[in-house]
């Protein structure tokens, strides 16, 4: 365990140093180090995650993302959703829902691809005054109970390592409510819990920060 953690820290630090040496700074350097860190995270069971993380991030501070630069994430996510639409993977009927919408940058891209009449966002804190983003905790039913069945659910709520309860609630809502053939998207990279119940889901995409499943 100590050896694995030390090796990971050495590699992450080395990549961070390389990024600095190449002239990267700010978001680019952070992105390089985040990717390296994620690559060496050990996948855990839900029980392990829940025991290791007493509180989700939002339980300590609902505004934890305030002033965070997420531009590196949008550059990867937007082309993916465009490809998803162009290949006909998303059913024509049903909502397009992003859980964890932050300031709404990705919501705008989803509007352009699928039409604003279909797109809904949810976040625990009002980072923006967008009327498309409903404020509430995904772990409580009231924020989602009035949504129509979704054709696509993007679980963009923090991550499994820091907010396992919120991620699980978002996953379970998607699994229960997606239309047949609907798509579930997770930004989990390789960190989906080992024992996550993926029955009824077919893996259709796994690359970089994105994993996507179709509901069968």
């Amino acid at each position: 365990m100590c050896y694995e953690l030390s090796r990971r820290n050495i590699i992450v630090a080395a990549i961070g140093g390389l990024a600095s040496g190449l002239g990267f700074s700010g978001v680019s350097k952070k992105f390089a180090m985040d990717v390296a860190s994620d690559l060496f995270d050990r996948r855990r069971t839900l029980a392990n995650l829940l025991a290791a993380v007493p509180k989700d991030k939002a339980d300590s501070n609902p505004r934890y993302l305030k002033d965070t630069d997420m531009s590196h994430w949008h550059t990867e996510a937007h082309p993916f959703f465009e490809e998803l639409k162009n290949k006909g993977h998303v059913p024509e009927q049903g909502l397009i829902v992003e859980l964890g919408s932050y300031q709404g940058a990705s919501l705008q891209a989803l509007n352009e691809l699928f039409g604003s009449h279909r797109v809904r966002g949810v976040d625990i804190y009002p980072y923006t005054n967008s009327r498309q983003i409903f404020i509430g905790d995904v772990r409580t039913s009231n924020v989602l109970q009035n949504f129509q069945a979704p054709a696509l659910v993007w679980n963009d709520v923090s991550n499994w390592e820091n907010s396992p309860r919120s991620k699980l609630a978002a996953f379970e809502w998607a699994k229960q409510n997606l239309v047949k053939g609907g798509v579930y998207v997770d930004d989990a990279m390789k960190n989906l819990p080992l024992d996550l119940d993926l029955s009824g889901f077919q893996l259709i995409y796994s690359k970089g920060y994105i994993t996507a499943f179709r509901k069968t």
Side-chain angles (χ1 to χ4, degrees):
M1 181 71 168
C2 292
Y3 169 73
E4 289 182 357
L5 289 175
S6 298
R7 181 180 65 175
R8 171 186 150 178
N9 291 342
I10 290 170
I11 293 173
V12 170
I15 290 180
L18 177 61
S20 296
L22 292 174
F24 295 137
S25 61
V27 173
S28 298
K29 180 180 177 181
K30 182 180 184 301
F31 178 63
M33 295 184 71
D34 283 349
V35 170
S37 178
D38 282 342
L39 283 170
F40 286 89
D41 272 340
R42 297 179 63 184
R43 290 181 64 188
R44 292 182 278 183
T45 65
L46 283 168
N48 293 151
L49 286 169
L50 294 172
V53 185
K55 291 183 178 181
D56 284 10
K57 275 191 173 182
D59 293 328
S60 300
N61 177 16
R63 300 182 296 173
Y64 70 93
L65 280 176
K66 193 174 186 298
D67 301 324
T68 301
D69 187 350
M70 299 294 289
S71 58
H72 66 279
W73 174 227
H74 299 310
T75 58
E76 181 173 347
H78 294 173
F80 161 74
F81 284 105
E82 185 174 12
E83 180 180 354
L84 203 66
K85 180 179 185 295
N86 291 340
K87 290 188 175 180
H89 289 305
V90 181
E92 293 293 330
Q93 300 299 319
L95 293 178
I96 309 298
V97 179
E98 180 188 15
L99 303 177
S101 300
Y102 189 40
Q103 296 177 332
S106 292
L107 222 59
Q108 293 305 313
L110 296 175
N111 285 341
E112 294 173 8
L113 290 170
F114 300 100
S116 60
H117 64 287
R118 296 184 68 186
V119 177
R120 303 287 186 275
V122 175
D123 212 297
I124 197 169
Y125 180 79
Y127 293 102
T128 177
N129 59 2
S130 170
R131 294 183 179 180
Q132 283 183 280
I133 300 177
F134 294 76
I135 307 304
D137 191 329
V138 295
R139 292 169 293 183
T140 60
S141 60
N142 61 334
V143 70
L144 296 170
Q145 64 184 0
N146 294 322
F147 280 17
Q148 298 174 358
L152 183 151
V153 174
W154 181 8
N155 189 351
D156 200 15
V157 177
S158 185
N159 57 60
W160 288 96
E161 298 293 324
N162 293 303
S163 303
R165 296 162 186 82
S166 299
K167 290 292 282 189
L168 181 60
F171 168 80
E172 290 179 337
W173 182 81
K175 187 174 182 181
Q176 180 178 352
N177 290 279
L178 273 166
V179 300
K180 185 175 182 179
V183 177
Y184 171 76
V185 179
D186 202 308
D187 64 341
M189 200 175 182
K190 300 182 186 301
N191 292 327
L192 286 172
L194 287 167
D195 55 346
L196 191 66
D197 183 8
L198 294 169
S199 58
F201 274 164
Q202 176 189 6
L203 180 67
I204 60 173
Y205 185 95
S206 182
K207 183 179 180 182
Y209 276 93
I210 302 171
T211 305
F213 300 87
R214 177 185 292 110
K215 184 175 181 177
T216 57

